[in-house]
Amino acid sequence: MSTITVKTEAPTDRPAGERTPPVKRRGRGERGPLAILTSHGILAVASLIALFPVAWLVFLSLGPDKDDYLRPGGIWGKMTLDNYAFVLQDTNFFHWLKSSLIVSLGTTVIGVLVAATTGYAVSRMRFPGYKKFMWALLVTQMFPVAVLMVPMYQILSDLQLIDTYLGLILVYCSTAVPYCAWLMKGYFDTIPFEIDEAGRVDGLSPFGTFARLILPLAKPGLAVAAFYSFITAFGEVAFATTFMLDDTQYTLAVGLQSFVSEHDAQRNLMAATAVLIAIPVSAFFYLVQKNLVTGLTAGGTKG
């Protein structure tokens, strides 16, 4: 009768008191190295795609000839800042910049003020027809510019506001206020009603509650509304071309068209002007960027 010997391995000797190291497990939602590398790669490619048009515009603005965009490789050997010097010294660029800033900032101040008060009233007060009122604001966004231009021109002409900054500001407010009112209404809905009640207990009027308690909490929403109003007015062309007749009161977007004629287009000067136009917008974006993401996300949580 044979016997079978079973060989067992002796346990590894460990110093007294030493514990077996725990096995590291990936937590829920934690990504692995491959996933992290892939996401970073996608973000890098997306960033390059987003930055390429800007870099290409700056590159073309350094070419001295109007047809350099057809042969961009030749720009490397003859880069110059003469286009910027011509735009700044030999055109009405600073008049256009002044007009754009006046109109854009005026639209921002008036538009945000009207939109904030409108959004707060609809969010907190239940007056007859408040829902229809908000839908009416939304319907105004359905009409194309070509349909609105003739009646607006007639109204501004009757009010003697043609070729004035105030007239153009009011026109832009008619575009910016409806969207911003919806945005602010959604943001005010996220602010608890108890804050309004606390203000009334402390003896504040409805406007005092709005100005002293609600508006400081609504800074992200106000930042988004201000940015939208500023961009709407700064880059618009159709209304500004129709309602502003004096060359010194052109906005930057309209002044940019002066480099294009029926038979010619000075694209090098257009590129340089476009780069200069982007500077004020970038500066305004830098001022409000901290609140933009918060305002965009919070404004869409309630409707």
Side-chain angles (χ1 to χ4, degrees):
M1 182 175 181
S2 62
T3 59
I4 300 176
T5 304
V6 179
K7 185 178 180 181
T8 59
E9 295 182 359
T12 305
D13 294 335
R14 294 180 178 276
E18 183 178 351
R19 297 181 180 179
T20 303
V23 179
K24 186 178 180 181
R25 296 183 179 180
R26 188 179 303 166
R28 179 178 296 180
E30 185 179 354
R31 296 179 299 175
L34 181 60
I36 295 176
L37 182 62
T38 303
S39 62
H40 281 72
I42 293 175
L43 290 175
V45 173
S47 300
L48 291 176
I49 293 175
L51 292 175
F52 176 77
V54 179
W56 184 251
L57 184 65
V58 174
F59 179 67
L60 292 181
S61 70
L62 300 176
D65 300 326
K66 63 182 180 180
D67 294 327
D68 280 336
Y69 74 99
L70 297 175
R71 298 175 297 275
I75 297 178
W76 291 106
K78 52 181 181 179
M79 286 186 177
T80 179
L81 296 176
D82 290 345
N83 295 328
Y84 293 94
F86 179 86
V87 171
L88 295 176
Q89 297 175 4
D90 299 331
T91 68
N92 290 325
F93 177 83
F94 290 104
H95 291 288
W96 302 338
L97 178 61
K98 180 191 72 172
S99 299
S100 292
L101 292 178
I102 291 175
V103 173
S104 300
L105 294 176
T107 303
T108 301
V109 173
I110 297 176
V112 171
L113 178 62
V114 174
T117 53
T118 302
Y120 179 75
V122 177
S123 174
R124 293 299 196 262
M125 305 173 186
R126 293 298 177 261
F127 52 88
Y130 74 96
K131 289 185 178 180
K132 294 181 181 179
F133 172 71
M134 293 302 292
W135 280 109
L137 290 179
L138 189 61
V139 169
T140 60
Q141 304 296 291
M142 299 171 58
F143 298 99
V145 174
V147 175
L148 299 174
M149 196 170 294
V150 174
M152 282 186 174
Y153 189 94
Q154 184 64 45
I155 293 173
L156 294 180
S157 179
D158 294 339
L159 297 175
Q160 297 183 354
L161 293 177
I162 296 294
D163 203 21
T164 63
Y165 293 134
L166 179 59
L168 195 58
I169 289 173
L170 294 177
V171 170
Y172 289 152
C173 284
S174 67
T175 302
V177 167
Y179 172 79
C180 293
W182 270 93
L183 174 72
M184 294 307 302
K185 189 263 183 189
Y187 195 88
F188 287 136
D189 285 344
T190 65
I191 300 177
F193 285 84
E194 288 78 7
I195 295 179
D196 300 71
E197 296 174 357
R200 287 193 291 269
V201 170
D202 291 339
L204 293 177
S205 64
F207 183 79
T209 302
F210 170 70
R212 299 178 62 179
L213 299 180
I214 303 300
L215 281 185
L217 298 175
K219 286 183 180 179
L222 294 173
V224 177
F227 185 71
Y228 176 80
S229 300
F230 186 87
I231 293 298
T232 298
F234 198 84
E236 201 278 332
V237 178
F239 287 133
T241 304
T242 304
F243 300 139
M244 304 300 282
L245 307 178
D246 189 354
D247 179 43
T248 59
Q249 290 187 313
Y250 282 170
T251 61
L252 284 170
V254 181
L256 188 62
Q257 292 185 327
S258 63
F259 299 116
V260 180
S261 62
E262 183 178 357
H263 303 289
D264 188 22
Q266 297 172 307
R267 301 185 186 277
N268 55 329
L269 300 179
M270 290 178 63
T273 307
V275 173
L276 294 174
I277 290 175
I279 295 176
V281 179
S282 302
F284 190 80
F285 175 79
Y286 178 79
L287 294 176
V288 301
Q289 64 172 334
K290 294 182 179 179
N291 296 315
L292 280 180
V293 176
T294 304
L296 286 171
T297 55
T301 56
K302 291 187 179 182

